[in-house]
Amino acid sequence: MRGECCFDGEAVSTSESGYKATVLIFGRILCGGTVNTLADVAKSDWVKSPDIRVIFAECEGASKEEVRDFAGQYASSGIISCYGA
């Protein structure tokens, strides 16, 4: 997977980059299951671990602004939220 993310024009890649584990969460911003999953992950103790990278990839084509708003509501700073995946 490769897509724009972080809302500052950077790109994210799932290639190994020094992390011990990468957790990929594919979902849709209008899906209740996605909302519940991200909310649970955001509350977890491990989400901010330096050994784990968590990436949410919106896979229905939501805009940058829609994903930014969604991430602000349901994801924590420990989750990288991507649009255009």
Side-chain angles (χ1 to χ4, degrees):
M1 180 193 86
R2 188 160 180 79
E4 291 186 28
C5 79
C6 302
F7 313 112
D8 61 5
E10 289 189 32
V12 68
S13 173
T14 55
S15 299
E16 192 281 323
S17 57
Y19 295 95
K20 290 188 178 181
T22 296
V23 177
L24 296 173
I25 302 169
F26 293 90
R28 299 173 290 134
I29 64 171
L30 300 177
C31 173
T34 300
V35 169
N36 292 334
T37 298
L38 284 179
D40 286 346
V41 169
K43 290 186 286 188
S44 71
D45 293 333
W46 55 265
V47 72
K48 293 186 180 182
S49 168
D51 296 334
I52 298 173
R53 176 175 62 161
V54 180
I55 300 171
F56 163 63
E58 203 296 327
C59 57
E60 288 275 317
S63 71
K64 177 180 181 178
E65 293 76 20
E66 291 171 322
V67 175
R68 180 183 341 175
D69 292 344
F70 177 83
Q73 286 185 290
Y74 302 108
S76 71
S77 60
I79 300 173
I80 300 166
S81 295
C82 301
Y83 63 97

